[in-house]
Short mmCIF file of all heavy atoms in Angstrom, two decimals:
data_model
loop_
_atom_site.label_atom_id
_atom_site.label_comp_id
_atom_site.label_asym_id
_atom_site.label_seq_id
_atom_site.Cartn_x
_atom_site.Cartn_y
_atom_site.Cartn_z
N PHE E 1 -111.37 -50.24 239.50
CA PHE E 1 -112.03 -51.40 238.92
C PHE E 1 -113.33 -51.02 238.21
O PHE E 1 -114.05 -50.10 238.64
CB PHE E 1 -112.37 -52.44 240.00
CG PHE E 1 -111.16 -53.12 240.57
CD1 PHE E 1 -110.79 -52.90 241.89
CD2 PHE E 1 -110.38 -53.97 239.81
CE1 PHE E 1 -109.69 -53.53 242.43
CE2 PHE E 1 -109.28 -54.60 240.33
CZ PHE E 1 -108.91 -54.39 241.64
N CYS E 2 -113.64 -51.74 237.14
CA CYS E 2 -114.91 -51.59 236.45
C CYS E 2 -116.05 -52.06 237.36
O CYS E 2 -115.95 -53.09 238.02
CB CYS E 2 -114.90 -52.41 235.16
SG CYS E 2 -116.47 -52.40 234.26
N ARG E 3 -117.15 -51.30 237.37
CA ARG E 3 -118.31 -51.65 238.20
C ARG E 3 -119.34 -52.48 237.44
O ARG E 3 -120.32 -52.95 238.02
CB ARG E 3 -118.98 -50.38 238.72
CG ARG E 3 -118.08 -49.50 239.58
CD ARG E 3 -118.78 -48.16 239.87
NE ARG E 3 -117.89 -47.25 240.58
CZ ARG E 3 -118.16 -45.96 240.78
NH1 ARG E 3 -119.30 -45.45 240.30
NH2 ARG E 3 -117.31 -45.19 241.44
N GLY E 4 -119.17 -52.58 236.14
CA GLY E 4 -120.13 -53.34 235.34
C GLY E 4 -121.47 -52.66 235.17
O GLY E 4 -122.47 -53.30 234.86
N CYS E 5 -121.53 -51.34 235.34
CA CYS E 5 -122.81 -50.62 235.24
C CYS E 5 -123.25 -50.40 233.79
O CYS E 5 -124.42 -50.14 233.53
CB CYS E 5 -122.72 -49.29 235.98
SG CYS E 5 -121.60 -48.09 235.20
N LEU E 6 -122.30 -50.47 232.85
CA LEU E 6 -122.54 -50.30 231.42
C LEU E 6 -123.04 -48.90 231.03
O LEU E 6 -123.54 -48.70 229.93
CB LEU E 6 -123.51 -51.37 230.90
CG LEU E 6 -123.04 -52.82 231.02
CD1 LEU E 6 -124.09 -53.77 230.46
CD2 LEU E 6 -121.70 -53.02 230.32
N ALA E 7 -122.89 -47.95 231.92
CA ALA E 7 -123.25 -46.57 231.57
C ALA E 7 -122.40 -46.06 230.42
O ALA E 7 -122.84 -45.22 229.62
CB ALA E 7 -123.09 -45.67 232.78
N CYS E 8 -121.19 -46.57 230.30
CA CYS E 8 -120.28 -46.14 229.24
C CYS E 8 -120.84 -46.42 227.85
O CYS E 8 -120.49 -45.73 226.89
CB CYS E 8 -118.92 -46.82 229.41
SG CYS E 8 -118.97 -48.63 229.32
N GLN E 9 -121.70 -47.43 227.73
CA GLN E 9 -122.26 -47.77 226.43
C GLN E 9 -123.22 -46.69 225.93
O GLN E 9 -123.45 -46.56 224.73
CB GLN E 9 -122.99 -49.11 226.52
CG GLN E 9 -122.10 -50.28 226.93
CD GLN E 9 -121.01 -50.56 225.92
OE1 GLN E 9 -121.27 -51.08 224.84
NE2 GLN E 9 -119.77 -50.22 226.26
N LYS E 10 -123.78 -45.91 226.86
CA LYS E 10 -124.67 -44.82 226.49
C LYS E 10 -123.94 -43.48 226.44
O LYS E 10 -124.22 -42.63 225.61
CB LYS E 10 -125.83 -44.73 227.48
CG LYS E 10 -126.74 -45.94 227.49
CD LYS E 10 -127.86 -45.78 228.51
CE LYS E 10 -128.78 -46.99 228.53
NZ LYS E 10 -129.86 -46.85 229.55
N LEU E 11 -122.98 -43.31 227.35
CA LEU E 11 -122.31 -42.02 227.50
C LEU E 11 -121.06 -41.88 226.62
O LEU E 11 -120.60 -40.77 226.36
CB LEU E 11 -121.92 -41.79 228.96
CG LEU E 11 -123.07 -41.80 229.97
CD1 LEU E 11 -122.51 -41.70 231.40
CD2 LEU E 11 -124.02 -40.65 229.70
N GLY E 12 -120.48 -43.02 226.21
CA GLY E 12 -119.24 -42.97 225.44
C GLY E 12 -118.02 -42.73 226.30
O GLY E 12 -116.92 -42.51 225.80
N LYS E 13 -118.20 -42.78 227.61
CA LYS E 13 -117.09 -42.65 228.55
C LYS E 13 -117.52 -43.26 229.88
O LYS E 13 -118.70 -43.48 230.12
CB LYS E 13 -116.69 -41.18 228.75
CG LYS E 13 -117.77 -40.32 229.36
CD LYS E 13 -117.27 -38.89 229.57
CE LYS E 13 -118.33 -38.04 230.23
NZ LYS E 13 -117.84 -36.65 230.48
N CYS E 14 -116.54 -43.51 230.73
CA CYS E 14 -116.82 -44.11 232.02
C CYS E 14 -117.26 -43.04 233.02
O CYS E 14 -116.79 -41.90 232.98
CB CYS E 14 -115.58 -44.84 232.54
SG CYS E 14 -115.87 -45.77 234.07
N VAL E 15 -118.17 -43.43 233.92
CA VAL E 15 -118.65 -42.48 234.92
C VAL E 15 -117.67 -42.32 236.08
O VAL E 15 -117.78 -41.38 236.86
CB VAL E 15 -120.03 -42.93 235.48
CG1 VAL E 15 -121.07 -42.91 234.37
CG2 VAL E 15 -119.95 -44.31 236.12
N ILE E 16 -116.71 -43.23 236.20
CA ILE E 16 -115.72 -43.14 237.28
C ILE E 16 -114.72 -42.05 236.94
O ILE E 16 -114.14 -42.02 235.85
CB ILE E 16 -115.00 -44.49 237.49
CG1 ILE E 16 -116.02 -45.59 237.82
CG2 ILE E 16 -113.96 -44.38 238.58
CD1 ILE E 16 -115.41 -46.99 237.88
N GLN E 17 -114.50 -41.15 237.87
CA GLN E 17 -113.61 -40.01 237.65
C GLN E 17 -112.18 -40.38 238.07
O GLN E 17 -111.80 -40.22 239.22
CB GLN E 17 -114.10 -38.80 238.43
CG GLN E 17 -115.50 -38.34 238.05
CD GLN E 17 -115.59 -37.88 236.60
OE1 GLN E 17 -114.78 -37.08 236.14
NE2 GLN E 17 -116.57 -38.40 235.88
N ASP E 18 -111.41 -40.90 237.13
CA ASP E 18 -110.00 -41.19 237.38
C ASP E 18 -109.23 -40.94 236.09
O ASP E 18 -109.66 -40.14 235.26
CB ASP E 18 -109.81 -42.61 237.93
CG ASP E 18 -110.36 -43.69 236.99
OD1 ASP E 18 -110.75 -43.36 235.86
OD2 ASP E 18 -110.39 -44.87 237.40
N ASP E 19 -108.09 -41.62 235.90
CA ASP E 19 -107.24 -41.33 234.74
C ASP E 19 -107.61 -42.11 233.48
O ASP E 19 -106.99 -41.91 232.44
CB ASP E 19 -105.78 -41.64 235.10
CG ASP E 19 -105.22 -40.67 236.13
OD1 ASP E 19 -105.59 -39.48 236.08
OD2 ASP E 19 -104.43 -41.11 236.99
N VAL E 20 -108.60 -42.97 233.57
CA VAL E 20 -108.88 -43.88 232.45
C VAL E 20 -109.40 -43.16 231.21
O VAL E 20 -108.98 -43.46 230.09
CB VAL E 20 -109.85 -45.00 232.87
CG1 VAL E 20 -110.33 -45.79 231.66
CG2 VAL E 20 -109.17 -45.93 233.86
N ASP E 21 -110.30 -42.21 231.38
CA ASP E 21 -110.90 -41.56 230.20
C ASP E 21 -109.85 -40.85 229.36
O ASP E 21 -109.89 -40.90 228.12
CB ASP E 21 -112.00 -40.58 230.61
CG ASP E 21 -112.76 -40.06 229.40
OD1 ASP E 21 -113.37 -40.88 228.69
OD2 ASP E 21 -112.73 -38.84 229.15
N ALA E 22 -108.88 -40.21 230.01
CA ALA E 22 -107.82 -39.52 229.26
C ALA E 22 -106.98 -40.52 228.47
O ALA E 22 -106.59 -40.25 227.32
CB ALA E 22 -106.93 -38.73 230.22
N ILE E 23 -106.71 -41.68 229.07
CA ILE E 23 -105.96 -42.72 228.37
C ILE E 23 -106.78 -43.26 227.21
O ILE E 23 -106.28 -43.44 226.09
CB ILE E 23 -105.59 -43.87 229.34
CG1 ILE E 23 -104.64 -43.37 230.43
CG2 ILE E 23 -104.97 -45.04 228.57
CD1 ILE E 23 -104.37 -44.38 231.53
N MET E 24 -108.07 -43.49 227.44
CA MET E 24 -108.93 -44.05 226.41
C MET E 24 -109.04 -43.13 225.20
O MET E 24 -109.09 -43.59 224.05
CB MET E 24 -110.32 -44.32 226.98
CG MET E 24 -111.20 -45.15 226.04
SD MET E 24 -112.92 -45.23 226.57
CE MET E 24 -113.47 -43.57 226.14
N GLN E 25 -109.08 -41.83 225.43
CA GLN E 25 -109.16 -40.89 224.31
C GLN E 25 -107.94 -40.99 223.40
O GLN E 25 -108.04 -40.87 222.17
CB GLN E 25 -109.32 -39.46 224.84
CG GLN E 25 -110.67 -39.19 225.48
CD GLN E 25 -111.84 -39.45 224.54
OE1 GLN E 25 -111.80 -39.07 223.37
NE2 GLN E 25 -112.89 -40.08 225.05
N LYS E 26 -106.78 -41.22 223.99
CA LYS E 26 -105.56 -41.37 223.20
C LYS E 26 -105.57 -42.69 222.43
O LYS E 26 -105.14 -42.75 221.28
CB LYS E 26 -104.34 -41.27 224.11
CG LYS E 26 -104.16 -39.87 224.69
CD LYS E 26 -102.95 -39.78 225.60
CE LYS E 26 -102.80 -38.36 226.14
NZ LYS E 26 -101.63 -38.19 227.00
N VAL E 27 -106.05 -43.74 223.08
CA VAL E 27 -106.18 -45.04 222.40
C VAL E 27 -107.17 -44.94 221.24
O VAL E 27 -106.93 -45.47 220.15
CB VAL E 27 -106.63 -46.13 223.41
CG1 VAL E 27 -106.99 -47.43 222.68
CG2 VAL E 27 -105.53 -46.38 224.43
#
C-alpha cells in the first residue's frame, strides 16, 4: 500500500522496496 509520504515526488521513485518500481519503469 501507498504510505502517502510523497517522497516519490522528489526521488522519482517509491521508497518502498517491492515490485512496483520495476513495473513503473516499463509503464
Side-chain angles (χ1 to χ4, degrees):
F1 291 113
C2 176
R3 300 172 185 169
C5 68
L6 298 181
C8 61
Q9 300 296 287
K10 296 179 180 179
L11 301 174
K13 63 178 182 178
C14 186
V15 296
I16 301 173
Q17 300 297 311
D18 58 7
D19 292 324
V20 170
D21 189 61
I23 296 172
M24 191 190 74
Q25 290 302 316
K26 293 179 179 181
V27 170

